[in-house]
Amino acid sequence: MDDNADQQRPAGAGTSVHYPQRQLALAQAFLTSPADSHTNAETRRSTETRRSAEARVARWRAVLAGIADGRLAIGSRTPVAGLPAWVTPEVVRGGFATSAASAEGPLQPYEREAAARAGVAAERGALFAYCLTEPGLSRLYDLLDSGRYEAAVPEEAALLTVAWLVRAGDAAGALELVDVLEPFADRLRFTPRPSVLPAPDPEAVHRRTVGDAVTTLTGRRPNAAVEAQREALTVWQPFGDQLLAHWLETAEAGRVLERTPDSAWLERGAMLLRRYDELAATHTRCTKHRDPKENLGILRGALAETAAGRPLDARRLGLLRHAVASMVRRRGRPGSDRHTELRTRQAVQAAQPSHHDLAQLVLRRLSGLHQETGVADVAPLVADVSAHEAHTGNTRLPAGTPVPAAIRQVVEAALSAPLDTLVERGMVPSAEVLAELVPQLVAVTTSQSYPDETLRTLMAANYRAFRNRRSLLLSDLTGQVRVDELPWVRAVAGHRVGEDGRAPARTALHQLGELAVQAFPGTLLPNPLVRELGVLARQAKLDAPFVEELAADIFTGTFTPKYLAAARAAAELLSGTLYERYYAIDYAAVHDLATAEAGEAYKAGKPGKAPARGRRPRSSLGFTELCAQRAEVSGGWSIASNGKIIEQAQILTTHNLATLVTRVGISPEPGWDDLAWRSFTTVCHATARIHDNPRPLSTIKDAAYAWRQLVFHLSLCEPAAQARVIAGLRGEAARHPAHVAARLAPALAGLRQAARGGAADSDAGRRLLGWTTGPHWLHPAPRT
């Protein structure tokens, strides 16, 4: 389920207990499944899994209990009885709220320390009251000035805001905010969380913290297969050579046991057998030496029989002579040039440092850094082993040994740098990862309208915490709580400077939109990224309608007016283009519909109108009907039907691409033809994954969405570039597995027909869409 800005569920489904019951059953399954505890690592993982499952069970039981006793109103912006909308609720999968708030629960260690330092009871109410005293405010002033604090939930920024208002001389605003907070002072964390680090660099973002890298590397264990091979090369092969040399002492003309063993030979044999027992007890990774049918097992077994004074029968003697002969034939006699050269190479191979040893070295390098943030320069952390490190401690690492790529990648994920730098270095592999990083930038941008530096830092920290707030399941097209609805944000709204925040927001919006489209031209903008673009657009005072991808399983069958506004932006850009012809859109009619509904909305909002028409409409009936008509869906409810309707909305709106071009003004540097080529490569990769896929529908949707991006980019190309790209697509498809070109042939034919002014779905052409209520023509593969 998508965490989008307007999660919706069909009427009557909002209070259903079926979904929470299923999730509870899944969580309980983890608790009842048998635990595998063969090793300490597996036992630890089993314990962690069980604890996580127990927590999930507790949360889902809270959801069901809250629904049963009426404490929870699923589908409401205020789902928890007694808590206003601004309180951050605890939300589980699917947008269901539990009966708890994210800022409540047992006192955190930092709260206990603050209470002890203040000399007050270890209670939230007592801490709240202390922070409003002169020494308490002085402590808050120090935190504001240092910037060394953080907020895990937005509520932890509330009392710092009170302190800022008091110091700014806005006593009325501070008192009003305290009045709002005080009823919840015993329950919620309003006190700030001290940090050893100052506010983060506003220009830099990071995917992971140093602490995250440490956790990942610490959790890695030595590779069992590699360590078994190392043991074989350093322990068992040398021992096998000793056994072989011992038996060769009895050979005449190459035949083992032609020479009768003497007492000295038998004594040395007994020593070898004792040595074997010692090695087998200590080195347990390899088991091949225990197999009596393997050469080493044959040599050892025959030696044990002979040392015990029992003559070898014909079968065992034959096995022994065959084993000795084959070992000499394959590697040469121990001590010969061929055998010595082989063992020397293997010794060099066995002496190579393990990834585990190198990970331990990198962990030592990371240990001296702040664990709660990224790192500006990762090069020293992943450099080759230095001479000092090679001779310090028990590292067993030769100087000059490189850190392997698998370890470098973990550390490089903690790089703190400008976002475009991370993209260029391949540190942002997908649009989803890009969306994870964007709130760090938007937090700084949205705070630029505050002239006071300490307030900018505080509001940036508050925004970062707010973006961790999970979306609620809502009904009736209700919108999620926005950051400017938080009481402490409203309290400082009057301290913003009108235009100061617009220019930074516009710049950030343009750069971010261009970067997203340029870096991932064949990928839908994910909802978290769309949400941040919308925030920047509001900050920039731009009329830029950004629309979310709606989930088909909770779609109510209606669209908000911004979807029609986005379609209007697409109509302004794409009328008369390849995009309009390929998807058989009448953008003139879309433009007229948007104009008509905008007029109706204006009339509905005029003073003096009846109450029923006294507010803007919350849905666009005309746009909803248009999408249903284009999807050829009438009546009934199903996920597939919903998906077809939603896909038509995405087609009509271009899912934010037209908004970015017409309202934000993006113009990606590589050019639209380059983006078209790369989008088609994404189409081919997705189509390749359809082959032998028992559940290909999600992959087909990915291919269709990338195809839509391709058609959009082509439509903005100059005619010559557009023709050149279309002419080359068939050859590009041929570079992929044969079934890819065969599957895409109808779509390519439809594209060529639309480019010539015809219909995409005539003759041999097909319009490539992702959703269908029946079998999709991309699967199975057509005959070639």
Side-chain angles (χ1 to χ4, degrees):
M1 183 175 295
D2 295 315
D3 250 4
N4 56 55
D6 297 295
Q7 288 200 76
Q8 301 293 322
R9 185 170 289 277
T15 57
S16 171
V17 298
H18 298 307
Y19 185 86
Q21 285 174 337
R22 288 198 301 271
Q23 295 300 318
L24 175 61
L26 287 172
Q28 287 175 326
F30 282 97
L31 297 180
T32 58
S33 60
D36 183 0
S37 57
H38 292 303
T39 68
N40 289 337
E42 288 170 349
T43 300
R44 182 167 52 254
R45 284 194 293 271
S46 177
T47 301
E48 291 171 354
T49 299
R50 184 175 183 84
R51 287 174 180 168
S52 177
E54 289 172 344
R56 288 201 299 273
V57 166
R59 288 194 294 267
W60 283 113
R61 283 178 176 165
V63 171
L64 289 168
I67 293 174
D69 62 19
R71 285 180 293 118
L72 286 179
I74 303 300
S76 168
R77 292 176 99 235
T78 54
V80 182
L83 292 182
W86 56 262
V87 173
T88 307
E90 182 184 63
V91 180
V92 293
R93 181 180 176 87
F96 284 85
T98 71
S99 57
S102 294
E104 65 178 331
L107 262 66
Q108 299 289 303
Y110 83 90
E111 292 178 290
R112 295 187 180 279
E113 292 174 9
R117 188 184 308 113
V120 300
E123 299 171 352
R124 290 204 171 107
L127 266 178
F128 184 90
Y130 169 77
C131 287
L132 301 180
T133 65
E134 186 173 341
L137 286 171
S138 178
R139 170 64 179 159
L140 294 177
Y141 297 154
D142 290 342
L143 285 176
L144 283 171
D145 292 336
S146 69
R148 295 180 181 271
Y149 58 85
E150 58 188 6
V153 290
E155 286 83 346
E156 293 174 1
L159 280 173
L160 279 173
T161 308
V162 171
W164 187 91
L165 288 167
V166 171
R167 192 165 66 172
D170 188 353
L175 289 173
E176 184 178 344
L177 178 55
V178 168
D179 288 341
V180 174
L181 302 177
E182 198 163 25
F184 309 97
D186 290 330
R187 182 174 180 181
L188 303 180
R189 296 193 304 272
F190 292 127
T191 50
R193 185 181 299 253
S195 170
V196 298
L197 300 175
D201 181 352
E203 297 296 326
V205 297
H206 53 272
R207 284 189 63 190
R208 301 287 184 267
T209 65
V210 172
D212 293 333
V214 167
T215 300
T216 300
L217 293 177
T218 302
R220 294 195 171 187
R221 296 290 176 263
N223 185 295
V226 171
E227 294 307 314
Q229 182 184 30
R230 192 190 308 279
E231 182 180 284
L233 293 176
T234 59
V235 176
W236 297 112
Q237 287 190 359
F239 180 76
D241 292 341
Q242 293 174 11
L243 278 181
L244 175 60
H246 190 65
W247 277 113
L248 285 174
E249 293 179 17
T250 70
E252 288 281 353
R255 289 175 61 81
V256 173
L257 277 182
E258 286 293 310
R259 178 183 297 168
T260 303
D262 55 23
S263 59
W265 186 92
L266 291 173
E267 184 177 345
R268 292 197 302 276
M271 292 175 59
L272 284 172
L273 291 173
R274 289 194 296 272
R275 175 62 176 158
Y276 171 82
D277 291 337
E278 294 171 359
L279 293 176
T282 306
H283 303 282
T284 59
R285 294 184 181 275
C286 291
T287 58
K288 189 175 180 180
H289 60 88
R290 301 181 185 276
D291 189 345
K293 297 180 181 179
E294 292 289 337
N295 287 340
L296 195 152
I298 292 172
L299 268 59
R300 180 182 61 84
L303 181 59
E305 290 290 309
T306 304
R310 293 187 290 270
L312 302 181
D313 58 29
R315 177 181 174 278
R316 185 179 286 274
L317 180 60
L319 287 173
L320 173 63
R321 287 174 173 171
H322 176 76
V324 170
S326 64
M327 293 172 74
V328 172
R329 183 171 58 253
R330 288 175 59 190
R331 305 183 185 90
R333 295 175 68 92
S336 67
D337 291 344
R338 181 159 68 97
H339 188 276
T340 301
E341 181 184 356
L342 172 64
R343 291 302 188 228
T344 299
R345 286 201 312 271
Q346 291 175 336
V348 171
Q349 178 184 351
Q352 291 180 355
S354 69
H355 283 201
H356 179 68
D357 290 336
L358 287 163
Q360 299 308 302
L361 171 67
V362 173
L363 280 171
R364 285 193 290 275
R365 293 173 176 176
L366 292 169
S367 63
L369 302 177
H370 289 302
Q371 305 295 294
E372 299 84 3
T373 187
V375 59
D377 185 9
V378 300
L381 301 173
V382 295
D384 296 349
V385 178
S386 68
H388 175 73
E389 290 169 328
H391 295 94
T392 302
N394 186 25
T395 64
R396 300 181 299 171
L397 299 174
T401 303
V403 174
I407 297 175
R408 287 202 310 272
Q409 290 168 0
V410 173
V411 179
E412 287 167 352
L415 174 65
S416 182
L419 184 56
D420 54 355
T421 299
L422 297 186
V423 172
E424 289 173 5
R425 296 189 182 184
M427 307 301 299
V428 183
S430 67
E432 287 73 21
V433 172
L434 177 65
E436 293 174 7
L437 302 178
V438 168
Q440 297 178 54
L441 288 180
V442 178
V444 175
T445 303
T446 56
S447 66
Q448 293 303 305
S449 59
Y450 299 100
D452 182 82
E453 183 178 354
T454 58
L455 185 56
R456 284 200 301 270
T457 301
L458 175 58
M459 289 297 102
N462 174 74
Y463 188 88
R464 287 191 296 271
F466 181 79
R467 278 312 178 213
N468 292 326
R469 178 175 177 139
R470 297 187 63 181
S471 296
L472 283 167
L473 176 63
L474 299 175
S475 60
D476 300 326
L477 297 176
T478 305
Q480 300 288 337
V481 172
R482 286 163 45 169
V483 68
D484 53 13
E485 295 181 61
L486 303 182
W488 46 96
V489 176
R490 289 203 309 266
V492 295
H495 297 273
R496 304 176 77 161
V497 177
E499 292 291 333
D500 282 6
R502 294 190 184 185
R506 286 173 182 165
T507 300
L509 177 60
H510 186 276
Q511 291 177 344
L512 180 57
E514 208 161 74
L515 178 63
V517 175
Q518 181 174 316
F520 310 104
T523 304
L524 287 181
L525 299 181
N527 283 343
L529 179 56
V530 172
R531 181 174 58 193
E532 301 303 330
L533 293 173
V535 170
L536 289 173
R538 289 192 294 273
Q539 292 289 327
K541 306 299 182 184
L542 286 179
D543 180 18
F546 288 104
V547 296
E548 300 81 11
E549 180 186 11
L550 301 178
D553 61 338
I554 57 174
F555 178 56
T556 60
T558 57
F559 296 94
T560 57
K562 68 179 177 180
Y563 284 83
L564 181 55
R568 180 175 186 170
E572 296 170 1
L573 179 68
L574 298 170
S575 291
T577 65
L578 171 65
Y579 191 94
E580 183 180 41
R581 291 193 300 275
Y582 181 83
Y583 287 109
I585 304 171
D586 184 352
Y587 266 135
V590 171
H591 189 278
D592 291 343
L593 175 64
T595 301
E597 286 204 4
E600 290 297 321
Y602 174 75
K603 293 178 183 178
K606 291 180 68 175
K609 292 290 182 182
R613 296 174 58 86
R615 59 189 179 96
R616 293 176 63 85
R618 299 176 69 178
S619 64
S620 173
L621 297 180
F623 184 75
T624 301
E625 291 174 1
L626 176 60
C627 292
Q629 291 170 2
R630 288 178 54 82
E632 298 180 348
V633 171
S634 59
W637 184 94
S638 73
I639 291 177
S641 296
N642 286 352
K644 291 180 66 176
I645 295 172
I646 292 170
E647 184 173 22
Q648 288 301 320
Q650 291 176 335
I651 289 171
L652 291 171
T653 63
T654 71
H655 196 67
N656 301 303
L657 295 179
T659 296
L660 284 170
V661 174
T662 61
R663 301 295 191 264
V664 181
I666 71 165
S667 180
E669 186 176 334
W672 298 109
D673 54 339
D674 177 82
L675 301 188
W677 272 114
R678 291 162 56 205
S679 296
F680 186 66
T681 300
T682 303
V683 172
C684 292
H685 288 319
T687 305
R689 296 196 301 272
I690 297 173
H691 191 63
D692 289 336
N693 187 339
R695 288 180 286 274
L697 295 183
S698 63
T699 306
I700 290 174
K701 286 186 290 182
D702 290 341
Y705 296 166
W707 181 269
R708 186 174 70 242
Q709 309 268 111
L710 158 72
V711 179
F712 177 87
H713 300 322
L714 280 174
S715 299
L716 299 187
C717 290
E718 295 294 330
Q722 182 185 106
R724 183 172 62 253
V725 173
I726 292 176
L729 294 182
R730 185 184 298 175
E732 173 63 21
R735 296 179 54 251
H736 297 266
H739 74 91
V740 171
R743 292 180 198 273
L744 293 177
L748 288 170
L751 184 63
R752 289 193 297 270
Q753 289 166 187
R756 292 193 294 266
D761 57 354
S762 61
D763 300 329
R766 298 292 296 266
R767 188 176 294 118
L768 178 52
L769 302 175
W771 283 91
T772 177
T773 51
H776 200 287
W777 55 268
L778 272 182
H779 185 265
R783 294 180 179 178
T784 57

